[in-house]
Amino acid sequence: MSIQLLSDVLIAQIAAGEVVERPASVIKELVENALDAGAGSVHVSVKGGGRTLIRVSDDGHGIMAEQVELAFARHATSKIKAIDDLERIMTLGFRGEALSSIASVSRTTITTRHREQQTGTQLRIEGGDVAHHQAIGAPAGTVISVENLFYNTPARLKFLKTESTEKRHITALITRYAMAYPHVRFTLEQDGREAIRTTGSGELSDVIVQVLGLDNFKHLLPVEAQHVDVPQVSVRGYTGSAELHRADRNQITLFVNGRWISDSKLLYAVVQAYQGILRDGRYPVAVLMVEISPDEVDVNVHPTKAEVRFRDANAVFKTIQRGVREAIIASGGRPDIRSSSSGHQAGEWGRSSGWREPSRDVSQPEIGLQVGDDGRLPQPYINRNTYSEEEIAVPDGAGQPIRPRTLPPLRVVGQVAATYIIAEGPAGLYLIDQHAAHQRVLYEQLVDGDFEMTALPAPQTVELTPAQARLIDAQIDLFNENGCEIAPFGGHTFQVRALPEMALTADPLDLLRAIAEDMRGRSALEALRLCISGYGAVKAGQTLSQDDMQAIVRRLERAHEPLKDPLDRPTLLHMTGDQLARQFGR
Ligand code: ADP
Ligand code: MG
């Protein structure tokens, strides 16, 4: 064969081999273009794992009518003019290769209208050749549809994995971009079914709840670190607690200046931070955003732009490692393998318990219940209707470490049926059972020893049945060690002198009887904690002020197990924006 220059289309097809490896890489390029165009919402719709159809719509600035064809020319970009521009690059794209590559290996249609123009443009390109070009009415923004990907490159088509594998790659990709761009609304639809929807609220915690679910949120520790030397590097995001681990590194996501990168050295910085915390062969889950001055990083290393080179790689490595390590330590995780299995376990008593809530018809005086931020009731009332004259000092928690967050911040909207707290937060609406939530909070204070034993204004004498008295008598030391000063008082009678402060709202007779009854089904200590937290917690049917509710919710947000009460019943129901929209047929 004699030497010939390759045709433009063939050049583009060869280049496409580097840029578009699979459907997910097409989507990556199109989503990056949408983000570069300043989109506030990006909608991705996929059929057949991306082989049949990929459509990415955005509400970015769009392309000028006279430039649409140029956008599909090889090496055509609006993002850089000179090589120096790369040192200040703020956009994700700059190589001008994606659109031409994609169009050369598929049937691509673009419909776009620039914000400052009245009329839009539609262009259809088949295997790199313009098949159709027309003016068209369209909303500002850009829609690019890619059909029959790799139809003219059979070799590439052969290497595609099964549809479900490609679908998984696509979902993982959009998940990552949604986390890196929380102010952008993302939706992903696969074969007509919505797989991802984020609200674009700007909060990373929102997106995490939306894409990873509320259950996982509690295992994610906030990371915030800075390297103050030159170059200034900062890292923020979330990293998993010792309880959250995987068999591979695929759940560690790193973005550098908004660009998703895979850099084995930086991944190692995350993994290494877990040394002594995770067993060998287990890897953490993390989402970390690294910010660094653009002139400190070379992004032009690889056609897919998934690799970068740092001028001072060490500074970046250290900042990541330190940020992650600090997050783990702040959460109470110690560099000790045992700590990964010694977490607080709620729900170990199962559902078979005979515990019942204190009866609901107990008339509760409606006081402006001042539940402190620590979930306690500072103004105790005794025997349901006599108020203590003295204010009992509530420790302000000074000196105690702040517990890690296990729920995203929730804003209390109101109360329904004097029983449930309505709150709004990431990804929708939360309906909280006020009693269950408060009991969870108080229960954990008892477990953690985070409570004050408080003298009753006057010792109370309590008479039990002989069987109850026997049970209590046998455990009197345990009670005294756990915040309840109780002494035998002759016969089946006991004198109650002091209780954990949270239990001062209860009638000591009711409380002691309930504990004795409960001890038949479980250990004395469990019975004690369940009853004290149950009696101490606000009741269903009790009207609460906004501050009371917010205080309970604030504490719940930092409970070890915020989603269950001590008997494993749910404390809250979560309705995602999505579910609401579906219910309303929106
Ligand atoms: P690059 O992103 O590297 O510049 P591309 O081939 O991805 O190269 O895109 C070429 C050009 O087309 C971009 O520089 C941009 O001007 C324009 N473009 C592509 N997609 C969009 C979009 N969604 N909105 C606005 N402009 C776009
Ligand atoms: Mg691009």
Side-chain angles (χ1 to χ4, degrees):
M1 221 187 323
S2 59
I3 300 175
Q4 294 173 22
L5 285 174
L6 299 175
S7 73
D8 282 351
V9 167
L10 191 50
I11 293 172
Q13 285 176 342
I14 291 169
E18 292 180 325
V19 184
V20 275
E21 187 195 345
R22 61 187 337 151
S25 25
V26 172
I27 297 175
K28 173 175 180 285
E29 293 296 334
L30 298 179
V31 166
E32 289 193 348
N33 280 346
L35 293 169
D36 281 346
S41 77
V42 177
H43 180 70
V44 181
S45 176
V46 175
K47 288 208 174 96
R51 267 162 77 162
T52 318
L53 171 76
I54 291 168
R55 188 168 58 225
V56 177
S57 326
D58 70 61
D59 59 355
H61 56 57
I63 306 177
M64 296 276 192
E66 57 278 15
Q67 300 210 315
V68 180
E69 272 195 45
L70 190 58
F72 283 84
R74 220 164 115 67
H75 308 306
T77 180
S78 57
K79 299 170 192 175
I80 56 169
K81 283 203 178 80
I83 192 68
D84 297 350
D85 293 344
L86 274 181
E87 295 207 4
R88 299 177 278 275
I89 191 103
M90 299 301 274
T91 53
L92 297 167
F94 55 83
R95 299 174 63 101
E97 282 184 326
L99 290 189
S100 65
S101 300
I102 293 165
S104 72
V105 292
S106 69
R107 299 189 169 93
T108 297
T109 309
I110 181 172
T111 308
T112 184
R113 177 168 73 79
H114 194 272
R115 265 180 206 157
E116 285 152 23
Q117 292 186 325
Q118 300 295 320
T119 315
T121 306
Q122 190 168 67
L123 185 68
R124 185 166 170 84
I125 301 176
E126 301 202 350
D129 297 322
V130 175
H132 189 70
H133 188 159
Q134 71 175 79
I136 193 172
T142 304
V143 182
I144 296 186
S145 303
V146 177
E147 291 165 275
N148 310 113
L149 184 63
F150 301 135
Y151 79 99
N152 54 355
T153 51
R156 179 59 58 160
L157 199 57
K158 255 201 328 236
F159 280 102
L160 278 189
K161 299 278 187 294
T162 62
E163 196 175 310
S164 63
T165 304
E166 298 302 335
K167 276 168 111 167
R168 251 189 301 114
H169 278 280
I170 293 166
T171 301
L173 177 92
I174 300 299
T175 302
R176 292 184 152 125
Y177 275 86
M179 291 193 285
Y181 293 85
H183 56 278
V184 176
R185 243 178 343 218
F186 279 92
T187 50
L188 169 65
E189 215 181 275
Q190 299 235 45
D191 296 313
R193 291 187 49 187
E194 190 173 280
I196 295 176
R197 175 188 291 268
T198 66
T199 56
S201 71
E203 295 295 330
L204 177 56
S205 60
D206 266 17
V207 183
I208 288 191
V209 173
Q210 281 147 2
V211 298
L212 298 180
L214 200 56
D215 277 354
N216 281 322
F217 186 82
K218 68 167 181 241
H219 295 301
L220 290 164
L221 316 167
V223 175
E224 187 94 60
Q226 251 187 27
H227 195 291
V228 283
D229 296 350
V230 182
Q232 189 160 53
V233 188
S234 72
V235 53
R236 67 194 162 74
Y238 284 89
T239 199
S241 71
E243 279 83 27
L244 198 61
H245 41 79
R246 297 283 186 271
D248 57 41
R249 300 173 183 210
N250 293 340
Q251 294 292 321
I252 306 173
T253 300
L254 291 172
F255 279 82
V256 172
N257 292 351
R259 190 185 299 282
W260 177 27
I261 60 148
S262 57
D263 179 313
S264 54
K265 208 162 155 224
L266 295 190
L267 288 180
Y268 183 62
V270 180
V271 173
Q272 216 193 29
Y274 283 83
Q275 210 168 44
I277 292 171
L278 291 184
R279 273 189 300 276
D280 283 354
R282 301 304 295 178
Y283 296 94
V285 174
V287 188
L288 298 171
M289 315 295 160
V290 178
E291 298 288 338
I292 184 168
S293 162
D295 59 357
E296 288 291 331
V297 48
D298 182 1
V299 292
N300 187 27
V301 180
H302 192 265
T304 63
K305 300 161 285 172
E307 286 169 33
V308 294
R309 207 173 285 135
F310 297 101
R311 209 189 293 245
D312 186 351
N314 238 351
V316 182
F317 187 94
K318 278 194 199 141
T319 313
I320 293 180
Q321 197 195 33
R322 189 161 50 82
V324 171
R325 192 79 176 172
E326 281 171 2
I328 303 166
I329 288 172
S331 78
R334 268 161 295 116
D336 171 356
I337 292 181
R338 273 164 302 164
S339 70
S340 67
S341 57
S342 68
H344 171 80
Q345 288 291 317
E348 57 199 71
W349 306 285
R351 284 170 177 275
S352 59
S353 128
W355 160 262
R356 284 181 314 279
E357 229 174 89
S359 63
R360 291 187 181 196
D361 58 1
V362 176
S363 73
Q364 292 287 341
E366 286 205 3
I367 50 172
L369 204 55
Q370 288 303 308
V371 184
D373 187 36
D374 57 359
R376 294 176 189 158
L377 310 171
Q379 287 199 313
Y381 55 99
I382 308 299
N383 284 346
R384 297 192 199 114
N385 45 26
T386 41
Y387 288 82
S388 158
E389 291 297 327
E390 285 171 41
E391 281 264 338
I392 290 180
V394 180
D396 57 7
Q400 284 180 18
I402 299 181
R403 289 172 165 221
R405 197 170 258 299
T406 51
L407 283 180
L410 302 178
R411 190 179 70 79
V412 169
V413 178
Q415 193 183 23
V416 252
T419 299
Y420 305 104
I421 300 168
I422 309 179
E424 104 179 312
L429 178 102
Y430 296 72
L431 200 56
I432 300 165
D433 181 317
Q434 63 191 39
H435 175 74
H438 197 203
Q439 189 182 4
R440 158 55 65 191
V441 165
L442 297 179
Y443 177 83
E444 290 192 4
Q445 281 180 231
L446 292 170
V447 173
D448 292 350
D450 174 21
F451 62 90
E452 297 284 305
M453 179 159 99
T454 310
L456 271 58
Q460 298 270 316
T461 312
V462 164
E463 192 177 344
L464 303 177
T465 66
Q468 289 170 342
R470 255 196 315 281
L471 284 164
I472 298 285
D473 201 41
Q475 298 293 344
I476 215 98
D477 289 345
L478 181 96
F479 287 8
N480 288 337
E481 283 155 21
N482 283 278
C484 303
E485 200 184 320
I486 300 173
F489 209 61
H492 309 130
T493 310
F494 293 83
Q495 193 179 55
V496 182
R497 297 176 186 150
L499 288 172
E501 190 191 328
M502 66 183 73
L504 294 182
T505 52
D507 178 344
L509 174 62
D510 288 351
L511 182 62
L512 221 55
R513 280 185 181 158
I515 295 171
E517 288 308 314
D518 226 45
M519 279 166 65
R520 298 177 197 276
R522 55 172 59 79
S523 82
L525 186 56
E526 285 163 11
L528 184 75
R529 287 172 175 165
L530 283 172
C531 292
I532 289 182
S533 58
Y535 273 83
V538 298
K539 307 291 179 288
Q542 191 169 344
T543 307
L544 301 178
S545 74
Q546 189 78 12
D547 287 349
D548 298 338
M549 293 189 280
Q550 196 66 65
I552 293 174
V553 170
R554 284 283 157 273
R555 280 296 290 213
L556 189 68
E557 288 166 7
R558 294 177 190 275
H560 298 297
E561 289 289 345
L563 302 181
K564 302 273 187 223
D565 79 358
L567 288 171
D568 224 18
R569 294 170 300 210
T571 53
L572 63 81
L573 303 179
H574 175 208
M575 271 193 122
T576 61
D578 224 25
Q579 288 167 321
L580 289 172
R582 218 168 291 146
Q583 292 291 324
F584 286 108
R586 290 172 74 93

